[in-house]
C-alpha cells in the first residue's frame, strides 16, 4: 500500500541550500550553461585549458625546486630561479583570471550556421547577503565587428526557487532565453 501523504520528488530537480549563496549561484550558473548549450552554442574551453596548463607548469616548477638533487647551500641560485619563475607564472595566471575571465562562467563559440564570428561570454554575480542575481551576456571578443551590445538582467533569486530550495526551471529558462533573444536581437540590429 502506497503512502499518498509523501510528496513525489523528481530526481532531476535541482535543489539548493537557500542559506548558502554559493549553492544557489552554482545551481543557477549550471542551468545557464545548459540553456546556452541547448541554443546551439558550443563551450569554448581554450581559456580553461590555458589556465590548467599554466597551473601544471607552476606545480612542475615547485616540484623541481623541492626535489632537486643538490642540497640547499649548493643549489641556492637554482632555488632562487625557481622561486622567481613560480611567482612570475602565478602573476600571469592571476592576470588572465582578472583581466580576461572576470566573472565569466562560460565562453562559447558562435553557433553553427551563424553569421557572427564571435561567441558569447556569460558572467554572473550573486553578492553575499543579497538575493539579486545578475546575469550578463557579452561578446567573447568585444572588439569584433560582429560583437553585440552587452545585455544583462538583475532579478531576485526568490522568483526562481521554492521555499524548499528547488529551482523552478521553467521560470528561470524563460528569463535566460529572453536575455539570449535580447542579445541576438541586438546583434541583428547592429548589422
Amino acid at each position: 500500500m502506497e503512502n499518498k501523504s509523501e510528496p513525489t520528488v523528481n530526481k532531476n530537480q535541482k535543489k539548493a541550500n537557500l542559506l548558502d549563496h554559493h549553492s544557489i549561484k552554482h545551481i543557477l550558473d549550471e542551468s545557464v550553461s545548459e540553456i546556452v548549450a541547448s541554443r546551439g552554442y558550443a563551450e569554448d574551453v581554450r581559456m580553461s585549458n590555458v589556465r590548467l596548463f599554466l597551473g601544471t607548469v607552476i606545480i612542475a616548477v615547485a616540484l623541481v625546486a623541492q626535489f632537486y638533487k643538490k642540497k640547499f647551500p649548493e643549489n641556492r641560485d637554482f632555488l632562487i630561479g625557481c622561486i622567481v619563475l613560480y611567482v612570475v607564472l602565478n602573476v600571469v595566471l592571476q592576470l588572465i583570471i582578472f583581466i580576461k575571465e572576470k566573472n565569466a562562467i562560460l565562453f562559447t563559440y558562435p553557433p553553427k550556421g551563424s553569421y557572427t564570428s564571435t561567441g558569447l561570454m556569460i558572467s554572473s554575480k550573486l553578492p553575499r547577503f543579497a538575493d539579486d542575481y545578475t546575469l550578463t551576456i557579452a561578446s567573447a571578443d568585444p572588439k569584433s565587428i560582429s560583437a553585440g551590445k552587452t545585455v544583462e538582467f538583475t532579478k531576485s533569486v526568490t522568483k526562481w526557487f521554492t521555499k524548499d530550495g528547488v529551482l523552478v526551471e521553467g521560470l528561470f529558462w524563460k528569463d535566460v532565453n529572453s536575455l539570449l533573444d535580447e542579445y541576438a536581437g541586438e546583434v541583428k540590429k547592429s548589422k
Side-chain angles (χ1 to χ4, degrees):
M1 190 170 179
E2 204 174 299
N3 185 355
K4 297 197 181 214
S5 65
E6 289 184 29
T8 58
V9 177
N10 182 354
K11 293 183 180 178
N12 294 331
Q13 287 180 337
K14 296 178 181 176
K15 190 169 183 178
N17 176 357
L18 295 178
L19 300 176
D20 178 16
H21 80 283
H22 291 293
S23 172
I24 294 169
K25 185 177 184 312
H26 177 73
I27 286 178
L28 293 175
D29 291 350
E30 286 295 318
S31 295
V32 167
S33 296
E34 291 172 15
I35 295 166
V36 171
S38 75
R39 296 278 297 254
Y41 290 92
E43 184 174 0
D44 181 357
V45 294
R46 290 178 295 183
M47 189 60 62
S48 296
N49 290 344
V50 167
R51 283 186 14 235
L52 286 171
F53 176 74
L54 269 175
T56 303
V57 171
I58 290 168
I59 290 169
V61 167
L63 288 172
V64 167
Q66 178 69 31
F67 297 112
Y68 190 66
K69 294 178 186 176
K70 296 181 180 177
K71 295 299 175 198
F72 172 64
E74 300 167 5
N75 69 350
R76 182 175 173 269
D77 294 337
F78 179 77
L79 279 178
I80 290 172
C82 285
I83 291 169
V84 168
L85 185 59
Y86 181 86
V87 169
V88 168
L89 290 175
N90 266 305
V91 167
V92 169
L93 182 61
Q94 292 304 315
L95 284 173
I96 289 172
I97 292 169
F98 183 73
I99 293 171
K100 181 67 177 159
E101 286 193 346
K102 299 174 185 141
N103 291 321
I105 57 172
L106 180 66
F107 288 94
T108 71
Y109 292 108
K112 290 192 181 351
S114 173
Y115 60 87
T116 64
S117 62
T118 180
L120 304 177
M121 180 181 81
I122 300 173
S123 58
S124 68
K125 292 180 193 170
L126 181 62
R128 195 168 181 194
F129 304 119
D131 65 345
D132 291 333
Y133 179 79
T134 301
L135 184 66
T136 306
I137 299 177
S139 173
D141 182 12
K143 295 177 181 157
S144 171
I145 194 164
S146 63
K149 184 178 173 188
T150 300
V151 295
E152 73 176 29
F153 70 64
T154 301
K155 295 187 179 184
S156 173
V157 296
T158 59
K159 177 180 177 183
W160 302 311
F161 285 94
T162 66
K163 66 179 180 174
D164 299 323
V166 176
L167 177 64
V168 181
E169 289 189 69
L171 292 174
F172 187 65
W173 277 62
K174 181 181 166 196
D175 288 341
V176 174
N177 275 319
S178 296
L179 191 63
L180 283 165
D181 290 340
E182 183 182 340
Y183 179 81
E186 290 294 332
V187 169
K188 288 176 186 172
K189 286 178 191 173
S190 69
K191 284 281 174 187

